[in-house]
Amino acid sequence: MTELLDGLWQASLWLAVGALLLAALRPLLVSLGGAGLAYRSWWLLPLLLVTLLLPLPRAAVLQHVPTVPLKVVPGAVDGLTGQSLPWVLLVLLAWALGMGICLLRELRAQHRFERSMGPLRARADGSWQASGDPGLPALVGLWRPRIVVGPAFDQQFTARERHLILQHEDNHRRHGDHWANGFLLLMRAVFWFHPLLPWAARRFLRDQELACDARTIGPQPALRGLYASTLLKAQLVHPVAPAVCHWRSQPVLKERIAMLKQSKRKALLWVPGQVLVVGVCVGMGAVAWASQSGAMADGVAVAVMDREIQVDKMPPPSYPKSAVEQRQEGVVTLRVEVDAKGHPSDVRVLGATNPGVFDAASIAAARSWNYRPAMKNGKPVAGAVKIPITYAMDGNEDGQ
């Protein structure tokens, strides 16, 4: 459970760093490659999440792994370990509850939007006409996205305006923007506690609309005036469905029209813009990946250390209540990998004479101990230590 909390903390930190970096780079990206380049730069955030899931090379393991034995008897229980697990459990329960509430709220909003459209009727132009208008035209759905227009679509817009609107929504579909919105919905549920995520989500959706406008009007620049007037002609409402690509977007209307008025970008600036985005994504992803460990191992086994790993504070784990009641004894042998900063990066069970009885208590205790890293050539390095923990009743040494 602590691994999950550590992962959430690391992911939240890097999401904040990535969002702030994109906000700082956005003016430069827009000047180099327009709205499309700024929208593509948002790939940085899912890339950071993926890199945090990639495994690191194993820490350089000592040819001689030091052993630090420990014995536990009923009554020799340190309260720290016994109380840490409930707090972790409460935090995880609060996170899971918040995620469930947020996900349910978003899905209900999506369902309410789709239900308010009423029955749909297929049109000759490939779109679908709704009997209600909760905020149409829009690209609706994830698995089977459909362009849905309102009941007064033909009366409200001319043929050329209808063609531009359908082109815009079809651009959303062909470039997978509906999938991006679905992923955003999931991220908002998982990281519901993140203070920067609502702000980043609004900026992402804004860049999505600007990029779609640029793709739609790019091949036909002579229609910019008509496109802008079509934006103004629609009744403006705020989007109410999380997984819908809306034509109407009042919060960014002025920026969308202003972007249409800008002159066409020079082709030569497109290349440095792409290089900048790729460089930022690769560089930040590499830093996030390497941050999972205090030091990257060189992959070569170390023969001699100036100092082996030491454990400064080693309060014994709790003797499980069920084991005490059943007078169970056993030995759990742990392997603890300690990074160059003295943090336990990995704790796993090498063997147990009574599997499953003492494993959880042993791992929780090992993660709470204070370690001093091994030293090589006067510098701290990553390494490993073997810790056999004997659980014995009444001081018996041979209880296993």
Side-chain angles (χ1 to χ4, degrees):
M1 287 190 290
T2 55
E3 292 87 348
L4 180 56
L5 285 181
D6 290 342
L8 283 173
W9 164 249
Q10 276 200 340
S12 301
L13 179 62
W14 281 105
L15 284 177
V17 172
L20 293 176
L21 179 63
L22 292 179
L25 289 177
R26 188 179 183 279
L28 177 61
L29 295 176
V30 171
S31 65
L32 289 176
L37 187 62
Y39 180 53
R40 285 191 290 275
S41 68
W42 286 99
W43 275 103
L44 174 64
L45 299 190
L47 179 63
L48 289 176
L49 296 180
V50 171
T51 54
L52 291 174
L53 297 176
L54 296 179
L56 284 167
R58 286 292 179 186
V61 178
L62 306 179
Q63 289 182 348
H64 168 67
V65 179
T67 302
V68 181
L70 176 66
K71 182 180 177 181
V72 182
V73 297
V77 178
D78 187 66
L80 177 62
T81 305
Q83 296 175 4
S84 60
L85 188 59
W87 280 110
V88 172
L89 184 60
L90 288 176
V91 172
L92 284 177
L93 286 176
W95 167 73
L97 180 62
M99 180 177 65
I101 293 175
C102 184
L103 188 60
L104 180 62
R105 182 183 59 198
E106 298 289 348
L107 293 178
R108 286 187 62 185
Q110 180 74 16
H111 177 70
R112 187 165 54 246
F113 178 88
E114 295 185 6
R115 186 178 57 185
S116 60
M117 292 190 304
L120 301 182
R121 177 176 58 85
R123 292 167 52 93
D125 55 17
S127 64
W128 294 76
Q129 190 152 24
S131 55
D133 188 359
L136 301 172
L139 179 68
V140 183
L142 287 178
W143 303 107
R144 294 172 55 194
R146 295 183 288 186
I147 301 174
V148 183
V149 300
F153 184 62
D154 293 327
Q155 293 76 27
Q156 187 176 5
F157 301 100
T158 66
R160 296 176 66 193
E161 291 171 343
R162 293 196 299 269
H163 181 68
L164 285 176
I165 293 174
L166 295 179
Q167 274 189 319
H168 175 94
E169 297 302 331
D170 190 54
N171 262 310
H172 275 308
R173 179 168 55 189
R174 287 190 290 108
H175 286 81
D177 289 343
H178 55 293
W179 286 112
N181 290 352
F183 181 73
L184 176 63
L185 185 154
L186 184 61
M187 282 189 62
R188 294 181 69 171
V190 174
F191 298 97
W192 59 268
F193 55 88
H194 203 297
L196 288 181
L197 194 56
W199 168 78
R202 290 192 299 270
R203 284 179 170 263
F204 169 79
L205 294 174
R206 177 190 64 182
D207 286 341
Q208 182 184 89
E209 286 302 323
L210 294 174
C212 190
D213 289 340
R215 292 193 303 263
T216 303
I217 207 64
Q220 42 193 357
L223 298 180
R224 290 178 184 176
L226 178 63
Y227 195 89
S229 64
T230 307
L231 285 173
L232 290 170
K233 192 174 182 179
Q235 179 185 356
L236 303 177
V237 296
H238 292 280
V240 293
V244 170
C245 298
H246 292 267
W247 165 260
R248 307 169 179 179
S249 51
Q250 184 176 1
V252 295
L253 177 63
K254 292 182 179 180
E255 190 171 2
R256 290 176 70 180
I257 294 177
M259 192 68 73
L260 292 173
K261 295 179 180 179
Q262 294 184 8
S263 59
K264 192 174 181 181
R265 307 282 175 185
K266 294 181 180 179
L268 292 178
L269 292 179
W270 188 86
V271 175
Q274 303 299 318
V275 172
L276 177 60
V277 169
V278 172
V280 169
C281 290
V282 173
M284 289 294 294
V287 173
W289 177 67
S291 71
Q292 299 176 76
S293 179
M296 296 293 293
D298 56 8
V300 180
V302 182
V304 179
M305 286 288 164
D306 301 337
R307 186 190 73 193
E308 295 179 341
I309 294 174
Q310 299 178 0
V311 188
D312 288 339
K313 293 184 179 180
M314 203 174 183
S318 301
Y319 208 111
K321 183 178 179 180
S322 60
V324 174
E325 293 173 349
Q326 301 176 24
R327 300 192 64 80
Q328 290 180 302
E329 299 177 329
V331 177
V332 177
T333 303
L334 299 178
R335 178 187 177 87
V336 182
E337 294 188 7
V338 181
D339 62 24
K341 295 182 179 179
H343 301 148
S345 57
D346 184 45
V347 180
R348 59 184 185 272
V349 177
L350 295 180
T353 59
N354 224 335
V357 177
F358 305 104
D359 297 15
S362 303
I363 293 174
R367 289 192 176 278
S368 69
W369 293 336
N370 294 332
Y371 301 87
R372 281 196 286 173
M375 300 292 292
K376 176 66 176 177
N377 297 327
K379 296 182 178 180
V381 295
V385 61
K386 186 188 298 182
I387 304 178
I389 304 177
T390 302
Y391 292 81
M393 302 292 295
D394 303 325
N396 293 330
E397 293 290 345
D398 54 353
Q400 64 269 26

